[in-house]
Amino acid sequence: MRILVVNVNTTVSITDAIARQARSVASPGTEIVGLTPRFGAESVEGNFESYLAAVAVMERVLSYDQPFDAVIQAGYGEHGREGLQELLNVPVVDITEAAASVAMLLGHRYSVVTTLDRTVPLIEDRLKLAGLDSRCASVRASGLAVLELEEDPERAIESVVREAEQAVTVDKAEVICLGCGGMVGLEERIQARTGVPVVDGVTAAVALAESLVRLKLSTSKVRTYATPRQKQILGWPRALLG
Amino acid sequence: MRILVVNVNTTVSITDAIARQARSVASPGTEIVGLTPRFGAESVEGNFESYLAAVAVMERVLSYDQPFDAVIQAGYGEHGREGLQELLNVPVVDITEAAASVAMLLGHRYSVVTTLDRTVPLIEDRLKLAGLDSRCASVRASGLAVLELEEDPERAIESVVREAEQAVTVDKAEVICLGCGGMVGLEERIQARTGVPVVDGVTAAVALAESLVRLKLSTSKVRTYATPRQKQILGWPRALLG
Amino acid sequence: MRILVVNVNTTVSITDAIARQARSVASPGTEIVGLTPRFGAESVEGNFESYLAAVAVMERVLSYDQPFDAVIQAGYGEHGREGLQELLNVPVVDITEAAASVAMLLGHRYSVVTTLDRTVPLIEDRLKLAGLDSRCASVRASGLAVLELEEDPERAIESVVREAEQAVTVDKAEVICLGCGGMVGLEERIQARTGVPVVDGVTAAVALAESLVRLKLSTSKVRTYATPRQKQILGWPRALLG
Amino acid sequence: MRILVVNVNTTVSITDAIARQARSVASPGTEIVGLTPRFGAESVEGNFESYLAAVAVMERVLSYDQPFDAVIQAGYGEHGREGLQELLNVPVVDITEAAASVAMLLGHRYSVVTTLDRTVPLIEDRLKLAGLDSRCASVRASGLAVLELEEDPERAIESVVREAEQAVTVDKAEVICLGCGGMVGLEERIQARTGVPVVDGVTAAVALAESLVRLKLSTSKVRTYATPRQKQILGWPRALLG
Amino acid sequence: MRILVVNVNTTVSITDAIARQARSVASPGTEIVGLTPRFGAESVEGNFESYLAAVAVMERVLSYDQPFDAVIQAGYGEHGREGLQELLNVPVVDITEAAASVAMLLGHRYSVVTTLDRTVPLIEDRLKLAGLDSRCASVRASGLAVLELEEDPERAIESVVREAEQAVTVDKAEVICLGCGGMVGLEERIQARTGVPVVDGVTAAVALAESLVRLKLSTSKVRTYATPRQKQILGWPRALLG
Amino acid sequence: MRILVVNVNTTVSITDAIARQARSVASPGTEIVGLTPRFGAESVEGNFESYLAAVAVMERVLSYDQPFDAVIQAGYGEHGREGLQELLNVPVVDITEAAASVAMLLGHRYSVVTTLDRTVPLIEDRLKLAGLDSRCASVRASGLAVLELEEDPERAIESVVREAEQAVTVDKAEVICLGCGGMVGLEERIQARTGVPVVDGVTAAVALAESLVRLKLSTSKVRTYATPRQKQILGWPRALLG
């Protein structure tokens, strides 16, 4: 099977990291294709950038001209999964929701550790909308912007570990979800320091996407995510004109 | 003061109707400017179209080159208000939230009546995110698409009245919110048939926007809706490049 | 239009301050009439006093013999708004709910700062009943009794500012609601110190009341707030005998 | 021990019926004293009348000059219990809450059957405030006013039984709470027809009040229900001046 | 009347202490019979042990061959009450739920203080399932295992008092529930130190059980707790074969 | 890898059906081992039987003397998953939670269709405890006992299809979860009739269990599901003595 893993920002190095993360757990026979949006922000940290990303991700997927079996939206707390579900007939998995769903199989409560403090409300809202918030102990910010993570991974790791420890000792989380598509290779360090399972959104999403494909399950088309009706759409990137 | 009232779809006749509705309650001294997005769908009925609208609305507002005091996003259940709040330093009011906030001042429970059944979940989600859902008795669909409302207003009115009556008698709603920016001139008919107050989202939003301007209150910039950081944004309509 | 702004306690100087606050944002053409209950406690801080206030406020309004267009109940966290809504055919706005409704237009979360710690549960309950609590980050007490606020305004301001800062930094509130009808003239100081919008209940209520009158909307009479049936009421202040 | 059972309305025959109901389950050694408020409405059906009742009940209790061990407020869905808790140092039990608490020991879900449809929201609110609503399947109205119950008991019984049956078959309630202090002697008929336990608020409250006295437990005075501070209270029935 | 008070663990000295606690509040004429399960763990601190206890308690009760009027399951946060309710035609009261129900009559919020930190989630879950969690301020652990409580009562008392004080000052609890069937004789010490009412689960359960018997109320048999259908059950302790 | 799929009842034919269902989606290299409890009820339909099953399942797993990588508890709405999680160091997946988690990836709302009406509250409770209930539109019963499903599959299919149709048209479910481990081979029929995806709990659990093993994730041992402490456990099937 082929799974498209779509970055929400335009930074190709992050797309590559996300794709590598995805491949590290993909089953033999699963091809991971990393896609970078053709427009939008270099990093997505707020609603404005997230709405751009939602559209850019849809555009990028629709302009991919090979068959594929599933799509993963690889941005933590971002808008857009519902739009993809309307446009496609294959499963769509959002990494925020994937991480939470998996975490809830492993412990009584989970916490999310993310980067900028201002992204915390976006993640909280996504979990709330998804109905996955009642066992979320907290969403904590490590205090580094997405691009800084690329530049100084050691400092990033230490910041995340600190927040994770607080989540476990203070908030009583029993599982940690890493809250950013580009935070690669942290799992073992955090697990070693805190003793709790660490769920990465990208790898969780790959596992769930593969599961859905194997189970021959895809998005319901009867109501909310029905294919959009044919209609006039002005002045848009052509792919979205159907 | 000047208030921009932005349609979410590209249909100019609907923009005009929305602007007329807004002017019908605007105070003397308040200028209403109706804006039509420059791209997007002719009607917005699902998530895909709504994400396009979110971006198109932001683009249209940023390309408006005169001063203004507030913005009203005039689409029921649509995405986007949070993006506008980040980009602007004037208040932004979403008509779904405005109608619910006002309805909650008038009765123990309120119901929303909207058009297509598939828009019901979008409205439910927006109310849930906004924390305005706990006194919502129901969200009901009248069964007509947004564009049909334009073509056959009599049939539209009758459909809405029927759903409103059900909301009052079955769901025990005490207030009705009309769930679509273009459903103009229905209030009196529904009020006469059902005996309950009818809140129109556009006029409620005008009143709330004027209130915020008079109270000299605007969006908080300390966290969630802080101005987006300066960064590279690729290939976008130039207005969004700041 | 004429709006009655009713104090919940019997202290005339507080009524005067409330009325001044109301007039500071009233539109030209809006007459503010401050009313002081004819019985009850000099300050209202708990349920017992609040129930007295609920009745005293109803009595005072019913004994006002001029026409009026709306009523504002100007006590934070107090009982009574629902009784007024049954008795009257004009809109009734409670300042606790007005402040929260307006705050929710301005930020992801809001906090209320009030006076005595024991009033915190009353405010929490009022917000819960009103369905406006899900975006409330916290209700904090500044530690001063209502009457002390009158005697030492400087100390009052500093106490409130401290709690407001905590609400923003610790509880992640993005908007502050001032929790007492008599806490006048604090907005600018708090806004300067914390950087967040500050919503005063009285001024928010004036804006909402004016909005309802302009929109020609008033309390629904179909069920919960229907006019009380004619019946024998013993030994009461005559105005309430209808 | 002596328990005061206070009617919320001024109709003495209802007080007598309530007191008889209370005595039917009181333990040997428990004296039941029925009290009728000295002012207020002949029946309490809405918020206005309920606020009057809250104060009238407090006045009646404070003017009772013999010692007592507990107080039962015998009005379904009415305001006031919190005010009594502040004024007294003996336990106070509200019959709405007592019935729900007991019902929750007997079945997965319970329903309340009450009289006028307009009292349904008041009962829903009281259960919500009390945190006893999550296992409430429904609150149904039998369609008879409180005074009509007195005049035509047979019709009253049949109406209640019908609603109770609906609650069990449609709403899946497993327990029925009778929602009015004066609906005496219905339990056996409803239990025979529906097969579910029927909880009467007055008798449940007597049992809970006796339990609290035996356990030597009374209202906490540390915060919400602390004794009201000494202060000036104008023009009130003298008993409330302390 | 006769009430069976069933320990969840196999430690006879704890059963004796529980039975003594129960007798200290039982009415004249109420016989308390303490029962110790015939198999299971010496102390019950997690889900595994709790599931064993659920079955062992059912076995012990079914093997009791004298008539009885009610059963109390005396383990805090443990599984099993629903199974007993299906098997029996007399009321069953769980001490966790009894304590919370009683506490909610006494203050705006209550906290539970228990022993091992790992039992906190079990108690939280039981309160959540029972619909008694919305007024729970916190569940705190005193840090001592159930068996250590037996060995060093002084240290146990001091630990519990410390947590109770924190619950009152930090979490704003107004009532404390003691969270373990064997924590006898602590009430007065905690009440003296914190000034709030202290509810013991065993004594609260005795009072509620007696109340249900006096009110002639027992578990509803129409749906969830209907008597189990006759069927083949393999290899079980004979009593459970009916 | 090897996954144990444990039936909750003692009926071997149902175990075989469950194991076949599991194998139908297991990956190459995954060995499915069906286990039947050595004691307990022939079908599990209520709390009593469910508590027996919880213990019997734990016993059966602990007595399995070969290595294994994950365990699936294959009873819908049953107790026990938390006990297994404490005892084991490999992932444990409950089919009720697996089905709901997967369904939430496919549609805005899902419904569960089960067999006996009395099992509906058990499933509701399990989803509530698991924090997966907020997007559950309804839990419906097809009206057939678990054993009858075995005897007359055609009638069973038709009953389930009818309830599923109601869930979609009335409750607005967009996904159906089949609520019983033994309801095999229904998916295609229901999907054809209703047009929505149908999620079977057993196959969903296999997919999730395989995912966890591949992701090298297992139950958190830091708090709630920590390995039970060593202690004396009386009179139990030897395997549980560790």
Side-chain angles (χ1 to χ4, degrees), chain E residues 10 32-33 51 61 65 81 83 87-88 96-97 101 124 135 156 166 185 198 216-217 223 231:
Chain E
T10 57
I32 298 293
V33 174
Y51 281 126
V61 171
D65 62 356
R81 182 260 292 162
L87 292 171
L88 303 177
T96 326
E97 298 168 26
S101 299
E124 289 172 342
R135 286 170 61 195
Q166 289 284 100
V198 178
K216 298 183 174 48
L217 291 170
R223 191 185 195 212
K231 61 178 59 166

Side-chain angles (χ1 to χ4, degrees), chain B:
Chain B
M1 77 177 77
R2 174 183 289 140
I3 299 179
L4 307 184
V5 183
V6 195
N7 189 3
V8 293
N9 62 57
T10 57
T11 305
V12 174
S13 60
I14 290 179
T15 306
D16 292 345
I18 290 171
R20 276 195 306 273
Q21 183 79 352
R23 281 183 202 107
S24 73
V25 298
S27 302
T30 295
E31 174 192 358
I32 298 292
V33 175
L35 295 181
T36 307
R38 299 199 288 195
F39 47 83
E42 52 178 335
S43 65
V44 179
E45 292 160 356
N47 283 287
F48 159 59
E49 293 154 8
S50 190
Y51 281 127
L52 291 186
V55 174
V57 166
M58 290 192 291
E59 194 277 332
R60 186 63 190 90
V61 171
L62 288 187
S63 64
Y64 181 82
D65 61 357
Q66 298 299 311
F68 52 91
D69 301 284
V71 174
I72 290 171
Q73 175 158 320
Y76 224 91
E78 309 304 344
H79 299 284
R81 181 262 292 163
E82 307 90 337
L84 285 167
Q85 286 181 308
E86 288 180 8
L87 293 171
L88 304 176
N89 291 316
V90 298
V92 179
V93 180
D94 168 286
I95 67 170
T96 327
E97 297 170 26
S101 299
V102 168
M104 286 162 65
L105 297 172
L106 304 175
H108 194 253
R109 290 246 187 286
Y110 71 90
S111 283
V112 178
V113 179
T114 181
T115 55
L116 272 186
D117 178 68
R118 76 171 293 179
T119 63
V120 168
L122 271 69
I123 291 170
E124 290 172 342
D125 280 355
R126 177 122 307 260
L127 292 174
K128 177 176 186 175
L129 260 188
L132 295 169
D133 59 323
S134 71
R135 286 171 59 196
C136 180
S138 59
V139 179
R140 287 177 167 263
S142 68
L144 294 185
V146 169
L147 289 178
E148 290 178 66
L149 283 169
E150 285 235 297
E151 293 156 12
D152 191 346
E154 181 52 37
R155 179 169 161 235
I157 291 174
E158 195 47 42
S159 301
V160 171
V161 174
R162 267 197 316 266
E163 287 300 324
E165 282 181 307
Q166 290 284 102
V168 172
T169 56
V170 177
D171 308 328
K172 305 296 185 174
E174 301 180 16
V175 186
I176 295 292
C177 293
L178 291 181
C180 175
M183 292 175 72
V184 297
L186 291 175
E187 295 93 287
E188 298 78 7
R189 289 270 301 259
I190 295 174
Q191 215 275 341
R193 183 81 65 86
T194 63
V196 303
V198 178
V199 181
D200 168 78
V202 172
T203 56
V206 170
L208 290 180
E210 288 187 335
S211 295
L212 292 175
V213 175
R214 284 205 197 98
L215 294 172
K216 298 182 174 48
L217 290 169
S218 188
T219 309
S220 179
K221 290 298 189 182
V222 296
R223 195 187 191 209
T224 308
Y225 306 122
T227 306
R229 296 195 307 146
Q230 280 277 68
K231 61 177 59 166
Q232 186 189 52
I233 299 179
L234 279 183
W236 202 258
R238 290 196 184 76
L240 283 166
L241 293 175

Side-chain angles (χ1 to χ4, degrees), chain D residues 85 104-106 108 130-131 134-135 172 174 196-198 203 207-208 211 214-215 217-220 222-224, chain E residues 85 104-106 108 130-131 134-135 172 174 196-198 203 207-208 211 214-215 217-220 222-224:
Chain D
Q85 287 181 309
M104 286 162 65
L105 297 172
L106 305 174
H108 194 253
S134 71
R135 286 172 58 197
K172 306 297 187 174
E174 301 178 16
V196 302
V198 178
T203 57
L208 290 180
S211 296
R214 285 204 198 98
L215 294 171
L217 290 169
S218 190
T219 309
S220 179
V222 297
R223 193 185 193 210
T224 308
Chain E
Q85 287 180 309
M104 285 161 65
L105 298 173
L106 305 176
H108 194 254
S134 71
R135 286 170 61 195
K172 306 295 186 173
E174 300 179 17
V196 302
V198 178
T203 57
L208 291 179
S211 296
R214 283 203 198 97
L215 294 172
L217 291 170
S218 189
T219 310
S220 179
V222 299
R223 191 185 195 212
T224 309

Side-chain angles (χ1 to χ4, degrees), chain F residues 70-154:
Chain F
V71 175
I72 290 172
Q73 175 159 320
Y76 224 92
E78 309 304 344
H79 300 283
R81 180 262 292 164
E82 307 92 336
L84 286 167
Q85 286 181 307
E86 289 180 8
L87 293 171
L88 305 176
N89 290 315
V90 298
V92 179
V93 180
D94 169 285
I95 66 169
T96 327
E97 298 169 25
S101 299
V102 167
M104 285 162 64
L105 297 173
L106 305 174
H108 194 254
R109 290 248 186 285
Y110 71 92
S111 282
V112 178
V113 179
T114 181
T115 55
L116 272 188
D117 178 69
R118 77 171 292 179
T119 62
V120 167
L122 272 70
I123 292 169
E124 290 172 342
D125 280 356
R126 177 119 308 257
L127 292 174
K128 178 177 186 173
L129 261 188
L132 295 169
D133 59 324
S134 72
R135 286 172 58 196
C136 179
S138 59
V139 179
R140 286 177 168 265
S142 68
L144 292 184
V146 169
L147 289 178
E148 291 177 65
L149 283 169
E150 285 235 298
E151 293 156 9
D152 191 346
E154 181 53 37

Side-chain angles (χ1 to χ4, degrees), chain C residues 229-231, chain D residues 9 11 13-14 42-45 114-118 142-160 162 180 182-184 186:
Chain C
R229 299 194 306 146
Q230 280 277 67
K231 62 178 56 167
Chain D
N9 64 55
T11 307
S13 59
I14 291 179
E42 51 178 335
S43 64
V44 178
E45 293 159 358
T114 181
T115 54
L116 272 186
D117 178 67
R118 75 172 294 179
S142 68
L144 292 185
V146 170
L147 290 178
E148 290 177 64
L149 283 169
E150 284 235 296
E151 292 156 11
D152 191 345
E154 180 53 35
R155 179 169 163 237
I157 291 174
E158 195 48 40
S159 301
V160 171
R162 267 196 315 266
C180 174
M183 292 176 71
V184 297
L186 291 175

Side-chain angles (χ1 to χ4, degrees), chain D:
Chain D
M1 80 176 77
R2 175 184 287 141
I3 299 179
L4 307 184
V5 181
V6 195
N7 188 4
V8 292
N9 64 55
T10 58
T11 307
V12 174
S13 59
I14 291 179
T15 305
D16 292 344
I18 291 171
R20 276 194 306 271
Q21 184 79 351
R23 280 181 203 109
S24 73
V25 298
S27 302
T30 295
E31 173 191 358
I32 297 294
V33 175
L35 295 182
T36 307
R38 297 198 289 194
F39 49 83
E42 51 178 335
S43 64
V44 178
E45 293 159 358
N47 284 286
F48 160 60
E49 293 154 7
S50 190
Y51 281 128
L52 292 185
V55 175
V57 166
M58 290 192 290
E59 195 276 333
R60 187 64 190 89
V61 171
L62 287 187
S63 65
Y64 181 81
D65 60 358
Q66 298 298 312
F68 52 91
D69 302 285
V71 174
I72 290 172
Q73 175 158 321
Y76 224 91
E78 309 304 343
H79 300 284
R81 179 263 291 163
E82 307 91 336
L84 285 167
Q85 287 181 309
E86 289 180 7
L87 292 171
L88 304 177
N89 292 315
V90 297
V92 179
V93 179
D94 169 286
I95 67 171
T96 326
E97 297 170 26
S101 299
V102 167
M104 286 162 65
L105 297 172
L106 305 174
H108 194 253
R109 291 248 186 284
Y110 71 91
S111 283
V112 178
V113 179
T114 181
T115 54
L116 272 186
D117 178 67
R118 75 172 294 179
T119 63
V120 168
L122 271 69
I123 292 170
E124 290 172 342
D125 280 357
R126 177 121 307 260
L127 292 174
K128 178 177 187 174
L129 260 188
L132 295 170
D133 59 325
S134 71
R135 286 172 58 197
C136 180
S138 59
V139 179
R140 287 178 167 263
S142 68
L144 292 185
V146 170
L147 290 178
E148 290 177 64
L149 283 169
E150 284 235 296
E151 292 156 11
D152 191 345
E154 180 53 35
R155 179 169 163 237
I157 291 174
E158 195 48 40
S159 301
V160 171
V161 174
R162 267 196 315 266
E163 288 299 325
E165 282 180 307
Q166 289 283 102
V168 172
T169 55
V170 176
D171 307 329
K172 306 297 187 174
E174 301 178 16
V175 187
I176 295 292
C177 292
L178 291 183
C180 174
M183 292 176 71
V184 297
L186 291 175
E187 294 93 286
E188 298 79 6
R189 290 267 301 259
I190 295 174
Q191 215 276 340
R193 183 83 65 87
T194 63
V196 302
V198 178
V199 181
D200 168 79
V202 172
T203 57
V206 169
L208 290 180
E210 287 187 337
S211 296
L212 292 175
V213 174
R214 285 204 198 98
L215 294 171
K216 297 183 174 48
L217 290 169
S218 190
T219 309
S220 179
K221 290 299 189 183
V222 297
R223 193 185 193 210
T224 308
Y225 305 123
T227 305
R229 297 194 306 146
Q230 280 276 68
K231 60 178 58 167
Q232 185 188 52
I233 298 179
L234 280 185
W236 202 257
R238 289 191 187 80
L240 284 165
L241 294 176

